Amino acid sequence: MPTDTPRHSAAQGTIVLVGHGMVGQRFLEALAARGLTDTHRVVVLCEEPRPAYDRVQLTSYFSGRTPDELSLTDPEFIEQHGIELYVGDPAESVDRDAKTVTARSGQTFAYDTLVLATGSFPFVPPVPGKDTTGCFVYRTIEDLLAIEEYAKTYAKTGAVVGGGLLGLEAAGALRGLGLDTHVVEFAPRLMPVQVDEGGGAALLRTITNMGLTVHTGVGTQEIVSTEGAVSGMKLSDGSELATDLVVFSAGVRPRDQLARDTGLSVGERGGITVDEQCRTSDPAVYAIGECALASDGRVYGLVAPGYEMAETAAATIAAEESSFTGADLSTKLKLLGVDVASFGDAHGTSEDCLDVVYSDSRSGTYKKLVIGPGGELLGGVLVGDAEQYGVLRPMTGSVPPISPEQLVLPAGAGAPVALGPSALPDSAVICSCHNVTKGTIRGAVTEHSCTTVPEVKKCTKAGTGCGSCVKVLGQLVNDELEASGVEVDKGLCGCFGQTRQELYEIVRTLGITSYRQLLDAHGREAARGTEGCENCKPTVGSIIASLAPTIGADGYVLDGEQAALQDTNDHFLANLQKNGSYSVVPRVPGGEITPEKLIVIGEVARDFGLYTKITGGQRIDMFGARVEQLPLIWTRLVDAGFESGHAYGKSLRTVKSCVGQTWCRYGVQDSVRMAIDLELRYRGLRSPHKLKSAVSGCARECAEAQSKDFGVIATSSGWNLYVGGNGGATPRHADLLGQDLSDAELVRLIDRFLMFYIRTADRLERTSTWLERIEGGLDHVRDVVVHDSLGICDDLEALMADHVAHYRDEWSETINDPERLARFVSFVNAPDVPDPTVSFVPERDQIKPDLPLLSIGSRPRDLEGAAS
Amino acid sequence: MSVPMSVQLRLEDDWFEVCDRARLQPGRGIAALLPDGRQAALFIDRAGRAYAIDNRDPFTGAAVLSRGLLGTAGGRPFVASPLLKQRFDLETGRCLDDDSVTVETHTVRLA
Ligand code: SRM
Ligand SMILES: Cc1cc2nc3c(=O)[nH]c(=O)nc-3n(C[C@H](O)[C@H](O)[C@H](O)COP(=O)(O)OP(=O)(O)OC[C@H]3O[C@@H](n4cnc5c(N)ncnc54)[C@H](O)[C@@H]3O)c2cc1C
Ligand code: SF4
Ligand code: FES
């Protein structure tokens, strides 16, 4: 029975939208922006059990984004514009003569304008066994829920069929779920559509290094099952791959069935044929997004062109001039830890084009730029280092201000100052997902008075798609604010308008020893007298601690008000783990340890049932201690001569060493002794971020000193000092600060360097980022700490001397003081009852946290039972 | 001589005595075990106001909210989870970083 009762005035007729995906939602917004929702009745048929969500960011579900957070649909928006949204009710048929659409529920809707935005479905190659239990596709939230559920219970190994953009994203997700993951790609290289051969080779190395196994040049011939569930797959080279789970990611196909059934014209290889206004062969029917075959003969599998089509269709309905004639296919991979981007004419198919290639297979970097005959940038492929994507992509089509050779050279290898977004013209498209130009972003600041990146995002939509432009966006917004004289708030947080460096100077010169005193006298007006916040408390705590002996504060971080400022790790002098237990890391200076001490660690770990692991910092971590066990554990460790390793503090971690001259046939200095000396000198030093160091006995560099905040390499006549190195997420090789130094010169230079860093760095800024940020960079730092250009070196050395003289081990101070021990209880009113949620299960002869115990009741309710 | 104050929680229709007031340090929390096996996180701010919320961090499931840092946002007191740093309003239990999440709160008094 037709239930066709309009809820509000529909003076100009009814628009029915079929498909509430990313493009459908954008179309509704485009209608609303043109006032069409006021003049028309708008009906939306949505097939999925939830309204439109961000499919592009789907994989972020595995890094903790909930389905709710992925949503693109604001219920208020739907309500306000009187849109009738039918969730879980797909359109089943269209009668173009009667101009009606019938939904699965039986409802029929008359339309004046019909818009199809039905997207795509994942293509599953017709291999035998493709429907076996354990086979999945990767397109919707429901797909992900099902994969997660199955992986948890039934799978140790997973295979992805298809090594394209989505296949690699899916493979990254399987890896993240703890599966041993394989990628099977028919083409001879990964991401064959986006990258060329050289890029594919670099990508392969990176992906393999991430622990994925890649099989290229082979097809999938059959899915093998055991007792009705997937157990493996047969490949075209005759081999068989054992796997418990298969994800098909072999491309997508437009969902054009509805259109076919009602006789609309479709392309030979699928896709609903549309003209430049996105009208199908029936002028009352539009098709937009992935289901449409655009007038340039292509089906676009990216969201940006879909958004443009949505705008075009809405504009055409509003009788405005608009057309969609094609779009660019730039992409940046969102896979964690892999930097891959391609843009413009990545394969160099334009006539007379030339390429400039930089390739370094040692570091897995490959960069190619395609240059037109007139020197204009046509496109490119970046693998291993896609840092420049944000500025290069918008430059496509124009002649870059510096030569292409210089553009591909890595920083530090003769490349001039990095090319910033300021070099781009106003017409450059910064955000390709939403087609936002540099001019529009600048306008948001100058005309619409946006003063922050979130405001600009809201105002222009830039940066709200794949996110790959956010970095450049931030730079542009700051440039623009500065240019228009608006002061960019560089304050530490909502409580303090000063930077960390300014606060350090205030504390030092005024001798302020209390956080409250600092907040009430120097905080922002509104923050005075409040509790402060979780950002400035530990920062100020750290500043006071690193200046403690000099300003006369108590260096012990757990006394008085200081205790209330510390992050939980510092507060309990241990590292909090995911289930609320702690890890214990005693200091092992330089990584050198006696057998007796090793035995003590073994005994303590055994007696308290702790999980033990050798860390990447040349010492031993014991995990799984309950808060009330910490003092007992440490009593034993302190008795045996151990002290805190400060694995929890923003302070010196380890000074790693290689075995050096004493044993090694190549060694030229005693690297172990130097590492121990340095570790004992700087232990406990509170700093803006953690500090790491290493000492190598010769240029072979077995201790990896060049990846440390301060690294030392022996020479035949002394020591070379390198600073500003970093491992972690953004590795940086350290820069040489001093050469052939004697022991005393080395220590003096490190003292100055560290104290200058502590004085001037921002909160959570490692020496690497600090060196790159401060004005003048390394040269300035060298002037200050080597040539004493500011005349502060005596000061810096005196500060360090104070630190060294006043160092006390935090753990022995703690276990000898009943009052301090009082905080190490599970419950204030039941100190002997262990927290029942901290529990462990066995794994590989040791323990691991019992996570299912924690998850009881923790899943958002709308997920329960949603997985099929 | 003044009688030491105690911290009490309202449970159903009775006041449950948790500990001495002196055990609470401004800006930090402590965990308490309730008679029914649940856990509460108790806090006191610099002005001496006490708060109590459920100790379980809804994002990770771990019973750790008592180990977070206190702060003020928009004039209201909050605690930031020590694990993934989400903030919870101490009076309403509402998560400031995710509208859809709330933790339980308890009425608390110093008597
Ligand atoms: C235990 C250990 C891993 C292991 O099993 O080997 C480890 C574990 C943690 N690392 Fe690490 N890192 C460990 C060596 C490293 C190394 C290798 C090294 O030091 O030589 C690196 C790369 C080198 C570097 O830092 O430049 C490393 C780079 C990081 C980073 C990224 C830092 C960066 O600048 O990008 C973080 C995150 C952060 O600090 O913000 C991190 C953070 C962490 C934290 C603190 C994360 C957290 O907040 O829970 C982990 C807590 C440890 C714990 O609970 O006890 N860890 N981490 C290693 C402890 C070494 C030690 O004895 O103290
Ligand atoms: C994991 C993943 C990662 C991606 N990453 C990127 C990226 O980085 N960059 C990028 O540009 N693109 C990316 N994409 C592609 C992007 O998501 C799509 O281009 C975009 O979602 C297309 O929007 P659409 O509205 O056309 O289709 P969809 O978002 O698929 O929406 C179509 C909707 O129509 C519904 N529907 C179909 N038939 C009917 C019917 N008969 N009745 C009612 N409803 C119906 C479907 O259920 C679906 O909800 C990614 C896709 C995936 C799956
Ligand atoms: S760095 Fe040199 S001295 Fe040290 S272990 Fe390696 S080869 Fe030997
Ligand atoms: S380019 Fe994707 S969000 Fe801007």
Side-chain angles (χ1 to χ4, degrees), chain A residues 69 516 520 529-532 534 537 560 563-564 566 568 571-572 578 580 582 822 826-829 835 854 856 858, chain B residues 16 18 23 25-26 28 30-33 39 45-46 56 61-64 67 69-72 78 82-83 87 98:
Chain A
E69 288 167 334
R516 272 192 208 171
D520 293 353
T530 70
E531 284 296 312
E534 76 282 17
K537 277 185 171 172
Q566 307 298 334
T568 187
H571 192 65
F572 290 102
K578 63 206 296 180
Y582 285 86
S826 50
F827 300 106
V828 67
N829 60 339
D835 177 351
L854 296 181
I856 296 170
S858 79
Chain B
F16 174 68
V18 178
R23 293 297 300 274
Q25 187 187 13
R28 276 239 98 98
I30 44 172
L33 188 62
Q39 303 183 21
D45 66 13
R46 56 185 282 192
R56 179 173 185 276
V64 295
R67 301 181 212 162
L69 281 173
L70 293 203
T72 307
F78 71 80
L83 273 173
R87 297 164 304 160
D98 184 341

Side-chain angles (χ1 to χ4, degrees), chain A residues 156-168:
Chain A
K156 286 208 160 59
T157 309
V160 175
V161 177
L165 195 69
L166 287 187
L168 292 184

Side-chain angles (χ1 to χ4, degrees), chain A residues 391-409:
Chain A
V391 277
L392 287 177
R393 185 193 57 198
M395 231 177 250
T396 313
S398 61
V399 179
I402 59 176
S403 81
E405 292 75 20
Q406 287 179 318
L407 281 174
V408 293
L409 279 178

Side-chain angles (χ1 to χ4, degrees), chain A residues 403-456:
Chain A
S403 81
E405 292 75 20
Q406 287 179 318
L407 281 174
V408 293
L409 279 178
V417 268
L419 193 56
S422 56
L424 297 170
D426 267 354
S427 60
V429 174
I430 301 298
C431 175
S432 66
C433 287
H434 293 279
N435 199 11
V436 185
T437 61
K438 177 175 164 186
T440 310
I441 291 166
R442 292 184 40 196
V445 177
T446 52
E447 282 152 40
H448 301 277
S449 12
C450 299
T451 54
T452 62
V453 172
E455 280 170 23
V456 174

